[in-house]
Amino acid sequence: EAQVTQNPRYLITVTGKKLTVTCSQNMNHEYMSWYRQDPGLGLRQIYYSMNVEVTDKGDVPEGYKVSRKEKRNFPLILESPSPNQTSLYFCASSLEGPMAQHFGDGTRLSIL
Amino acid sequence: RKEVEQDPGPFNVPEGATVAFNCTYSNSASQSFFWYRQDCRKEPKLLMSVYSSGNEDGRFTAQLNRASQYISLLIRDSKLSDSATYLCVVYYNAGNMLTFGGGTRLMVKP
């Protein structure tokens, strides 16, 4: 089954404790991206990657890192999480470019 | 001003009703437009692309007005299962990013 898989689905953690949210797709897509969704602000893009080893900042990259060492994986790293990063996070992928993206199920992060 | 604006709703309509949503965008150089559907606490899913000439997919019709910089989504014969949040999405090639509106919530009641 074609899908985008995020882990974990839910995480409660504390300020400053490094965490990684994994994202994997099995559709051989070139384009992958991370979004956060907050009430009243909608979906905002954090980082995106056009292909392996190519990553670019989105609208709200501060406090986040990403890497794209393999085509299928695009982890999101929070080196020192803070409470303002409490949000619902989505990973997405598409064949090429940001159009017609497939989204993962989402990861709900709570930073205390 | 937000780049992509939508009325958040909620729009409460009875089954069988016709409902329309509008979405305005600020970047006149925007090139591609989409409607996504998002159920509560779920991931967004592509509903349909919006073409310049307008396009229809079953009970759903999408239209683009470049002069006034808005897109619309019309849902005919609403079903209970249409209850969701509808996200307007705009693509600007030079930025290579999608910009999402805040969504319009639709609730279809029996």
Side-chain angles (χ1 to χ4, degrees):
Chain A
E1 182 190 348
Q3 57 187 5
V4 178
T5 304
Q6 298 177 225
N7 277 297
R9 293 289 314 281
Y10 303 92
L11 179 64
I12 301 174
T13 188
V14 296
T15 299
K17 187 176 180 182
K18 179 179 178 180
L19 67 92
T20 299
V21 185
T22 63
C23 174
S24 179
Q25 51 91 5
N26 62 359
M27 296 169 279
N28 203 35
H29 284 171
E30 292 189 350
Y31 185 95
M32 296 187 74
S33 62
W34 275 103
Y35 296 87
R36 62 178 287 174
Q37 188 172 32
D38 302 288
L41 296 174
L43 275 151
R44 294 177 293 167
Q45 192 173 49
I46 302 170
Y47 269 95
Y48 66 96
S49 170
M50 296 294 291
N51 213 326
V52 177
E53 301 293 0
V54 179
T55 62
D56 278 296
K57 296 177 180 178
D59 292 322
V60 288
E62 294 77 22
Y64 304 95
K65 285 174 58 177
V66 293
S67 68
R68 188 89 182 275
K69 294 178 182 163
E70 307 163 280
K71 198 170 190 178
R72 63 182 293 132
N73 296 323
F74 191 45
L76 179 70
I77 303 155
L78 285 72
E79 293 272 4
S80 182
S82 61
N84 64 11
Q85 292 177 298
T86 293
S87 187
L88 175 59
Y89 291 84
F90 288 104
C91 179
S93 73
S94 59
L95 195 56
E96 56 179 34
M99 294 177 280
Q101 291 180 75
H102 297 257
F103 282 79
D105 289 339
T107 295
R108 192 166 288 279
L109 283 184
S110 292
I111 317 293
L112 304 177
Chain B
R1 182 186 172 191
K2 289 182 183 176
E3 289 187 45
V4 179
E5 291 205 67
Q6 298 181 248
D7 181 342
F11 284 56
N12 294 296
V13 303
E15 265 187 298
T18 295
V19 61
F21 312 132
N22 278 346
C23 163
T24 59
Y25 60 95
S26 60
N27 188 341
S28 60
S30 298
Q31 294 166 279
S32 302
F33 309 88
F34 309 89
W35 284 102
Y36 275 71
R37 171 196 167 124
Q38 185 175 25
D39 294 292
C40 187
R41 298 181 182 275
K42 300 279 191 180
E43 76 277 19
K45 292 183 179 177
L46 179 64
L47 179 65
M48 59 197 302
S49 302
V50 186
Y51 302 121
S52 296
S53 54
N55 49 299
E56 191 173 304
D57 183 1
R59 296 181 294 107
F60 298 82
T61 300
Q63 296 210 307
L64 167 64
N65 185 320
R66 284 192 185 271
S68 300
Q69 293 181 209
Y70 76 84
I71 68 173
S72 64
L73 178 68
L74 180 80
I75 306 175
R76 289 180 298 278
D77 188 22
S78 300
K79 312 289 185 192
L80 295 177
S81 57
D82 293 333
S83 297
T85 296
Y86 291 84
L87 306 172
C88 169
V89 185
V90 174
Y91 173 64
Y92 174 50
N93 187 51
N96 205 25
M97 293 195 304
L98 290 182
T99 301
F100 286 76
T104 297
R105 189 171 170 210
L106 171 66
M107 298 179 69
V108 182
K109 311 244 170 156

